[in-house]
Amino acid sequence: MTQTAHPILAAIRFDTNGLVPAIAQQHDSGEVLMMAWMNAEAVLETIATRRVCYYSRSRAGLWRKGETSGQTQRLVDLRVDCDGDTLLLLVEQDGVACHTGRRNCFFLAERDGVLVEIAAPLVAPETLYGHKHG
Amino acid sequence: MTQTAHPILAAIRFDTNGLVPAIAQQHDSGEVLMMAWMNAEAVLETIATRRVCYYSRSRAGLWRKGETSGQTQRLVDLRVDCDGDTLLLLVEQDGVACHTGRRNCFFLAERDGVLVEIAAPLVAPETLYGHKHG
């Protein structure tokens, strides 16, 4: 079976760059952890291995979540939205999802027109990556 | 104050089309309802009115969620992620979020390599829009 003939890929409307946004949500708590992008290869690998693999736009290659930090995501369920242009990944997050060492990436909240930090890092980024990460 | 000087907008990295993806999550249950896009104007209007306004790429204009269907989203909290390129909106969803009449848009789930519907419409789309909606 060719990639494009795969029924999951056929249902996804990849953008002009061949990418689709994927929201990662902790399957039991409902916490939205992060949003990243997938190409067709990342979707197929994720379904096959049940370990979440994104596409890194900055590195222009597959990004197996946790390959450097150890903070992997096990796929519990993969959902496609009504228009086929967004994925929702229900995952079991090992450790922290955010490269800043926070559990999730959405730690800046609007308060009276400005952003404030509402969560502190649980792990130092240096511990996750062995060096400072952008 | 000009739009670009607004501290919230300054923290957001809009894409080359001037858009940023926005995830809507029901604030109390944690249900991920939908993902849509915002431009700077939609972000400012949403913060000012506390009623969620997106940017419709197909209609190329502001999309005040619920203006046709009555299924509005009241903003409870707006979050910006670590990279500034995704928003998370905690909302109070009035009725159903999906134009198909389902509570959320992520009703297609991967089961053994194919997609199956895991939720039925709660409302007929014709009731929401007075006509068939794509």
Side-chain angles (χ1 to χ4, degrees):
Chain A
M1 182 158 44
T2 65
Q3 272 203 358
T4 49
H6 191 290
I8 305 286
L9 295 187
I12 298 174
R13 283 167 45 189
F14 293 95
D15 69 13
T16 52
N17 297 312
L19 302 177
V20 63
I23 303 160
Q25 180 182 33
Q26 173 66 27
H27 69 101
D28 46 6
S29 70
E31 180 180 10
V32 175
L33 299 167
M34 57 181 284
M35 201 283 276
W37 297 80
M38 289 183 156
N39 63 2
E41 195 178 352
V43 172
L44 290 182
E45 177 169 319
T46 297
I47 293 172
T49 64
R50 316 310 285 185
R51 194 170 144 172
V52 179
C53 173
Y54 299 103
Y55 179 86
S56 167
R57 295 179 300 174
S58 58
R59 298 200 312 255
L62 291 183
W63 162 30
R64 294 176 180 89
K65 177 71 179 163
E67 66 188 336
T68 309
S69 67
Q71 316 291 286
T72 56
Q73 293 177 340
R74 180 172 64 78
L75 183 69
V76 175
D77 204 2
L78 182 143
R79 307 261 171 93
V80 179
D81 81 344
C82 53
D83 294 326
D85 61 7
T86 306
L87 305 182
L88 176 64
L89 312 171
L90 301 181
V91 304
E92 174 65 39
Q93 171 69 52
D94 190 3
V96 298
C98 185
H99 74 283
T100 65
R102 293 171 176 88
R103 173 75 181 168
N104 75 67
C105 296
F106 299 96
F107 56 84
L108 297 170
E110 184 263 341
R111 297 284 180 269
D112 299 322
V114 298
L115 290 176
V116 300
E117 283 192 24
I118 56 168
L122 303 176
V123 192
E126 296 82 351
T127 306
L128 292 174
Y129 300 99
H131 63 276
K132 280 271 195 186
H133 188 91
Chain B
M1 178 157 50
T2 63
Q3 273 203 358
T4 50
H6 191 290
I8 305 285
L9 295 187
I12 299 174
R13 284 169 44 191
F14 293 95
D15 69 13
T16 52
N17 297 312
L19 301 177
V20 64
I23 303 160
Q25 181 182 33
Q26 174 65 28
H27 70 100
D28 46 8
S29 69
E31 181 180 8
V32 175
L33 299 167
M34 57 182 284
M35 200 282 275
W37 297 80
M38 288 183 157
N39 64 0
E41 194 178 352
V43 172
L44 290 182
E45 175 169 320
T46 297
I47 293 172
T49 64
R50 316 310 284 184
R51 193 169 144 171
V52 178
C53 173
Y54 299 102
Y55 179 84
S56 167
R57 295 180 299 174
S58 58
R59 297 201 311 254
L62 291 183
W63 162 29
R64 293 174 182 92
K65 176 71 179 163
E67 65 187 336
T68 309
S69 66
Q71 317 290 287
T72 57
Q73 292 177 341
R74 182 173 64 78
L75 184 70
V76 174
D77 205 2
L78 183 144
R79 308 262 171 90
V80 180
D81 81 344
C82 53
D83 295 326
D85 61 8
T86 306
L87 307 182
L88 177 64
L89 312 172
L90 302 181
V91 304
E92 174 64 39
Q93 172 69 52
D94 189 2
V96 299
C98 184
H99 75 282
T100 65
R102 292 170 176 87
R103 174 74 182 171
N104 75 66
C105 296
F106 299 97
F107 57 86
L108 296 170
E110 184 265 340
R111 297 285 179 272
D112 299 321
V114 297
L115 290 176
V116 299
E117 283 193 23
I118 57 169
L122 303 176
V123 190
E126 296 82 351
T127 306
L128 292 174
Y129 299 100
H131 64 275
K132 280 271 195 187
H133 189 92

